[in-house]
Amino acid sequence: MSRLFSVFVAFVASFLLIGSAQAEVKVLTSIKPLQLIAAAVQDGVAIPEVLLPPGASPHNYALRPSDVRKVQSVDLLYWIGPDMEGFLPRVLNGRTLPSVAVQDLPGMKLRRFAEDSHSHAEDADEHDHDHRPGTLDAHLWLAPVNARVIAEKMAADLSAADPANAERYQSNAKAFDERLDALDQRLKKRLASVEGKPYFVFHEAFDYFEEAYGLKHAGVFSVAAEVQPGAQHVAAMRKRLQEVGKTCVFSEPPLRPRLAETLVAGLPVKLAELDALGGYTPATAQGYEQVLEKLGNDLAGCLESL
């Protein structure tokens, strides 16, 4: 009996050992772009999770109890930092497992909002308080050079947490880096024809992308979505559009500002969308590239159609 019991104990122990060695490292990211970078690194091993659902704002998301439990329990958590996800620091204070604010990683190329980073309409009476001059521009994932740094960090963390798959993580990160080289060349070629063409945005979220590809918006119509702007504000914004002539005004999905149609009525202006977050993009190895490529195509497509 004792021999049978010993065999049984040895079997259970070996089963548990194998199970723990093959246990999946659970990765959670705050927003979709970070999930897509993690998906490239984890390709063939696991699929990372994302905290914010499509359409949710990373600036003021309200965590559910299930979200808090998830934040506390995952093995690795990646977020932009307090300049983006202001709702996270309080919850992360109670977390004992690794959390990485990617804005603090060595090698990141960071920007700060300039003095003129709000509305170019001088009489505007509403401002985007999240983008105060001198504060960090946290939309850092829109620069491929930053995506490379983030992927390298994720590959290093995953290799340490899951040595059995370390070679795969490193290989995936290298392949991601090579695909970013190809993406960079495609975007430079695609956007060359619209370099210097003026356009406007409702939210100053695209400066990293613009800097990488020689673009610059002509103005920012930063109006809080829940606030109906005054007549003076709308008149100043329309005057700016009239001065420029044919142009595009870009909002971000899922909501178009309520004043958009009024703003462009009777003017040679097209309304279009630029999606900085890619909320509905599948979490695949190529997802990050798809977000940036669509961003470039949407921007160039509108400006070329004028």
Side-chain angles (χ1 to χ4, degrees), residues 123-170:
D123 296 326
D125 51 12
E126 297 293 340
H127 297 282
D128 185 346
H129 294 288
D130 289 327
H131 297 170
R132 291 185 300 275
T135 60
L136 178 70
D137 181 351
H139 305 86
L140 52 82
W141 66 88
L142 291 177
V145 64
N146 287 336
R148 298 177 196 272
V149 174
I150 296 168
E152 288 175 5
K153 173 61 174 171
M154 290 177 170
D157 291 345
L158 284 161
S159 296
D162 180 17
N165 287 305
E167 186 176 343
R168 182 63 179 265
Y169 297 134
Q170 296 299 326

Side-chain angles (χ1 to χ4, degrees), residues 75-279:
D75 300 305
L76 294 170
L77 185 144
Y78 297 90
W79 61 308
I80 299 296
D83 292 275
M84 176 62 71
E85 306 97 328
F87 62 89
L88 263 182
R90 181 177 58 83
V91 181
L92 291 178
N93 283 339
R95 179 175 159 80
T96 57
L97 295 166
S99 303
V100 178
V102 299
Q103 71 179 44
D104 297 329
L105 292 178
M108 296 292 286
K109 305 298 184 183
L110 302 178
R111 296 177 49 90
R112 294 191 176 273
F113 290 109
E115 290 297 324
D116 63 348
S117 64
H118 298 303
S119 173
H120 282 248
E122 293 182 1
D123 296 326
D125 51 12
E126 297 293 340
H127 297 282
D128 185 346
H129 294 288
D130 289 327
H131 297 170
R132 291 185 300 275
T135 60
L136 178 70
D137 181 351
H139 305 86
L140 52 82
W141 66 88
L142 291 177
V145 64
N146 287 336
R148 298 177 196 272
V149 174
I150 296 168
E152 288 175 5
K153 173 61 174 171
M154 290 177 170
D157 291 345
L158 284 161
S159 296
D162 180 17
N165 287 305
E167 186 176 343
R168 182 63 179 265
Y169 297 134
Q170 296 299 326
S171 174
N172 284 345
K174 182 180 179 181
F176 180 64
D177 189 72
E178 292 171 352
R179 292 199 306 273
L180 287 185
D181 286 336
L183 172 68
D184 186 60
Q185 293 305 310
R186 293 197 304 272
L187 285 171
K188 286 177 178 176
K189 183 177 180 180
R190 180 72 180 95
L191 294 165
S193 64
V194 298
E195 186 175 346
K197 287 192 175 184
Y199 60 92
F200 295 79
V201 294
F202 276 102
H203 174 210
E204 190 166 20
F206 307 99
D207 286 28
Y208 284 96
F209 187 82
E210 292 172 342
E211 183 178 54
Y213 298 105
L215 305 170
K216 179 60 182 173
H217 55 266
V220 183
F221 298 146
S222 51
V223 180
E226 70 277 6
V227 176
Q228 186 64 29
Q232 186 180 27
H233 191 176
V234 175
M237 294 161 76
R238 278 183 60 84
K239 179 181 178 182
R240 181 72 176 121
L241 289 174
Q242 288 170 334
E243 292 170 351
V244 171
K246 289 184 178 181
T247 188
C248 293
V249 176
F250 294 101
S251 60
E252 288 182 81
L255 299 176
R256 175 174 287 177
R258 287 177 291 172
L259 86 159
E261 301 293 342
T262 302
L263 183 62
V264 305
L267 299 178
V269 175
K270 287 192 173 184
L271 292 174
E273 290 184 339
L274 294 178
D275 187 359
L277 287 168

